[in-house]
Amino acid sequence: MTAVWWQGEARFCEGDDQKMGQIKAESMHRQETVLTETVDVQRHGNGLSLEEGKYLIDQLEQQQIPDRERLAALIRANCEELREYARGKARAIADRHYGKNIFIRGLIEFTNYCKNDCYYCGIRRSNTHAERYRLSEEEIMACCREGEKLGFRTFVLQGGEDPYYTDDRIVDLVKRIRAAHPDCAITLSIGEKDRASYERFFAAGADRYLLRHETATDTHYRRLHPSELSLSRRKQCLRDLKEIGYQTGCGFMVGSPYQTAEHLAEDFLFIRELQPEMVGIGPFIPHQDTPFAGEVQGSLELTLYLLSLLRIMQPDLLLPATTALATIHPRGRELGIEAGANVVMPNLSPVGVRDKYSLYDGKVCTGDEAAECRHCLERRVESVGCHIVVDRGDHKC
Ligand code: SAM
C-alpha cells in the first residue's frame, strides 16, 4: 500500500499499487516504442516518399494543416533529409519572427514536494528516495535579485503541486516579486488549479503559465498518469489560462512510454486548436525510482524534428531548447536553436537544491546549464549564429 505522505496523515490507495505492479511488469517486457517506429522512411518504407514528406512540410508552412493520418505519416517519416529540410525552414521562420534573438528565463525550482503520482516523474509522491525540499519566500526573492543582476528579465517559478504553497502564499509571493522587479515577467509552472486561483495569480502580477498537456490522447494520458488525473481537466486548465490572459505554454515529452506517431499528430492538432504562446517539448528520460525506470529514452533526432515542425506550423511560438534536450546531448541546446527554438531556461535555483529537483536521471544543472554561467551559455548560443538578449522576451504576434 502507498502512504500519501504529504498530508501528514496516511491515506491509502491499494488499487494504484496493483496498477503500478502491472505497469512495471509491462514496462520490463515491452521493447517497442515510437523510437523504433519513427526511423528512416527509406529503410522502412511507411508509404511516404521524401518528396511527399517535403510537400507536407510545405503545406504546414502555408498553414494548411494535414489531417491526423498525414501528420502521423510525416512524423513517422523522420529521417536526416526531412530533418534538414524542416530545420532550414524552421530557423529561417524563427529569424524572420524574432530575429537572431534568444530569450533567457531564470528557472527557480522552488519545491519538489508533489501530491501527484505521474508514472514518469522523479518527484512523484510515491518516490520515497526523493530528498524533499522547498525554498522559503526569502530564498526565492534572493534568487530573483541574483537573476536580475545576471541579466534575467523573466523568472519561472516551477514546482511540484505542493500543498504547503497555498493560493494565498503564491499570491503573496507573486506580489512581492512584481513589486521588487517591475520590469520582469513572472511565469508560473505549478500545475493544475481552479480557474479562480489562476485568476488570483494573474491579478497579483503573474504574466505567463506553463502547463504541459503531456499528451492530447486520452488513452495515452491514462497510461502515463494515475486515475485521479485526467486529460480533460488538464485541457480545461489550459483553456482557463488562455481566457484569463496568460501567455500560456503547453507541451509534451517526446518518446514517452507507449507514444506513437498518431499521438504526436494529435498533440500537433491540439496545439493548433489551443494556439498557445509557448510550447515546451523535450525527450522523455527515465528516472530510476519510477515505474518507467526501464523504459527507453526519447530520441534526440525526433525531438529536433518536432521542434522544427512546430516552428513551421506556428511561427510566433516561444519555443525553448529544454534542459532535457541538453541532458541527452552535450550540444542539445545549440541543436535545439538550430532546429528553430528561441528560448533557453538556465537554472537559477540555489546550487544546494539543484540536484534534488530530479525529474529524470542525469539532469544537467551545474555546468553551462547554470544561470551563473551566462558567458558559457552566450558563447554556445553565438556558436550557432544567435545571441542572448536582456529582455522579458514576450510573445510577439
Ligand atoms: N507540477 C508542474 C506541472 O505539472 O506542470 C510543473 C513541474 S513538472 C515536474 C514539469 C514537467 O517535467 C512535466 O510537465 C513533464 O513533462 C516533465 N517531466 C517530468 N518527468 C520527466 C521525465 N522523466 N523526462 C522528461 N521530462 C519529464
Side-chain angles (χ1 to χ4, degrees), residues 144-156:
C144 295
R145 275 196 298 278
E146 177 68 10
E148 187 158 18
K149 272 192 237 149
L150 289 166
F152 291 91
R153 295 295 177 268
T154 291
F155 305 120
V156 181

Side-chain angles (χ1 to χ4, degrees), residues 111 113-114 116 118-124 157-162 188-192 209-214 225 234 251-254 257 280-287 290 292 324 357-361:
T111 173
Y113 283 87
C114 192
N116 293 334
C118 309
Y119 302 147
Y120 45 83
C121 185
I123 62 169
R124 63 198 302 268
L157 298 180
Q158 189 180 88
E161 290 195 24
D162 179 355
L188 295 177
S189 180
I190 52 175
E192 297 175 11
Y209 206 103
L210 301 176
L211 183 76
R212 289 185 177 184
H213 63 282
E214 312 297 359
H225 302 94
R234 198 88 180 164
F252 55 89
M253 292 175 288
V254 178
I281 68 165
F284 159 76
I285 305 173
H287 187 290
T290 64
F292 290 158
Y357 197 80
S358 169
L359 308 181
Y360 43 79
D361 293 337

Side-chain angles (χ1 to χ4, degrees), residues 1 7 20 60 77 84 176 220 297 328 332:
M1 294 205 288
Q7 285 183 324
M20 206 59 60
L60 211 53
E84 182 64 46
R176 276 189 74 180
H220 187 216
Q297 179 177 293
I328 65 164

